[in-house]
Amino acid sequence: MAIPSSGEIKMGGTGTNSIAQVKAGTDTGIPSAVQNVSLRGLSVDGVNDFQYTGGAAVDLPVSGSSPDQVAPHAMSEFHGYVHASFDGWPINGLIRTPNQQWGQKSHNDPSTVQVGCNYGQFHDTTNDRIRHRWTTFDSSAASVFSYADQDYIGMDSAQFQAKADYTTTAYAGTAQAVFQNPASYSPASGTWTNISTSGYSPIWQWTITISSGSSQSSSISSGFGSVFFYNRATLNGVTYPSTSDGYNGNQYYRSNGNTISLTAARSQFAQPVGPGGEIP
């Protein structure tokens, strides 16, 4: 969604040369009728841009390739304007995604035993969002995923990227322990990876699987609160978030620090359980 870089533009009305419509995100669909359009409101934050006909007044943020927000304001400042915004990292209460319990699991089983954790991101262009998905699982039941979303405006064609910072150590209490530390398809620590528009990718997964051997436990662990996830986007050469919106002055969003603490053991004292857990 962009105002043409040259030619006629207008404050209201319909079409891709209407500043109000581009800011409202409706220039590519059926336009919403607006009235009482304010050039000052379109140009700065904190002042109403316009009023939907028969509806409420609206103050939309100046996002993307912003015009000069210093008075006097001019319509020509909107030539080439791209309205784009990217919400911050999803938070449930005071906790950033994934929750603090993610990555921590201990499980015993007299047969095949497995524990693991999984986290991924998906660029959902249909619903204009980055979808986060995570789970911590064991072989007593199928995995149950949790979800959280980051919405955006005008960024379907942006290149979204994610990365993780982590250091995890595996301890093999038995030679039969098989580790994903992390899985082969998981990006290396500190590596920015494009987020897929067709499914969850990248995915980071850690697992321990033991199908035979002694009852000694095996584990994967990280430092306390030392596992971090990030994302960012690039559109027309502009990086989102800006330094003013990003985490601690950086041009990315970031999770809280999580802890990975996974332990598995084949214990003869454990009770038999149901089908094995799903490996996402």
Side-chain angles (χ1 to χ4, degrees):
M1 302 176 186
I3 299 292
S5 58
S6 62
E8 179 186 274
I9 60 175
K10 52 193 177 184
M11 292 197 302
T14 62
T16 56
N17 65 342
S18 166
I19 301 170
Q21 295 300 325
V22 167
K23 288 193 71 176
T26 59
D27 63 291
T28 57
I30 299 174
S32 298
V34 298
Q35 60 189 19
N36 300 324
V37 182
S38 164
L39 179 59
R40 179 167 177 254
L42 294 171
S43 302
V44 303
D45 292 333
V47 177
N48 288 333
D49 293 32
F50 54 80
Q51 179 183 6
Y52 285 111
T53 302
V58 176
D59 174 27
L60 296 172
V62 179
S63 304
S65 53
S66 302
D68 176 5
Q69 298 188 46
V70 179
H73 307 296
M75 289 178 61
S76 59
E77 294 175 3
F78 283 91
H79 272 126
Y81 174 73
V82 176
H83 185 65
S85 62
F86 183 27
D87 285 355
W89 196 271
I91 297 177
N92 182 11
L94 298 177
I95 306 301
R96 291 187 178 95
T97 296
N99 58 34
Q100 290 181 319
Q101 292 73 40
W102 177 86
Q104 301 172 56
K105 176 72 72 170
S106 179
H107 187 57
N108 296 336
D109 194 301
S111 183
T112 296
V113 60
Q114 183 184 76
V115 294
C117 58
N118 173 291
Y119 168 83
Q121 295 187 28
F122 163 46
H123 180 189
D124 179 6
T125 57
T126 300
N127 296 292
D128 294 344
R129 64 188 179 183
I130 299 298
R131 176 144 260 216
H132 299 246
R133 186 187 74 173
W134 68 97
T135 184
T136 304
F137 56 92
D138 62 46
S139 49
S140 66
S143 300
V144 177
F145 291 100
S146 298
Y147 300 87
D149 299 320
Q150 277 176 284
D151 296 328
Y152 61 75
I153 295 174
M155 299 185 71
D156 278 353
S157 60
Q159 181 62 73
F160 288 88
Q161 295 184 310
K163 76 168 182 175
D165 284 342
Y166 59 88
T167 299
T168 48
T169 302
Y171 168 74
T174 172
Q176 284 71 35
V178 177
F179 296 96
Q180 291 185 321
N181 184 32
S184 59
Y185 50 77
S186 300
S189 178
T191 303
W192 286 105
T193 304
N194 293 343
I195 302 174
S196 174
T197 58
S198 59
Y200 286 92
S201 178
I203 291 175
W204 290 269
Q205 177 162 295
W206 289 262
T207 64
I208 309 167
T209 305
I210 309 173
S211 57
S212 62
S214 72
S215 62
Q216 296 298 311
S217 63
S218 298
S219 64
I220 296 175
S221 61
S222 69
F224 179 78
S226 64
V227 180
F228 296 93
F229 299 103
Y230 306 76
N231 65 18
R232 66 185 182 187
T234 303
L235 178 65
N236 298 323
V238 178
T239 299
Y240 298 83
S242 64
T243 54
S244 59
D245 293 332
Y247 180 84
N248 200 26
N250 293 288
Q251 288 192 273
Y252 53 68
Y253 292 123
R254 197 193 81 171
S255 70
N256 280 334
N258 287 90
T259 302
I260 293 178
S261 179
L262 302 171
T263 304
R266 293 185 69 247
S267 172
Q268 60 180 321
F269 301 107
Q271 296 298 315
V273 294
E278 172 187 352
I279 301 177

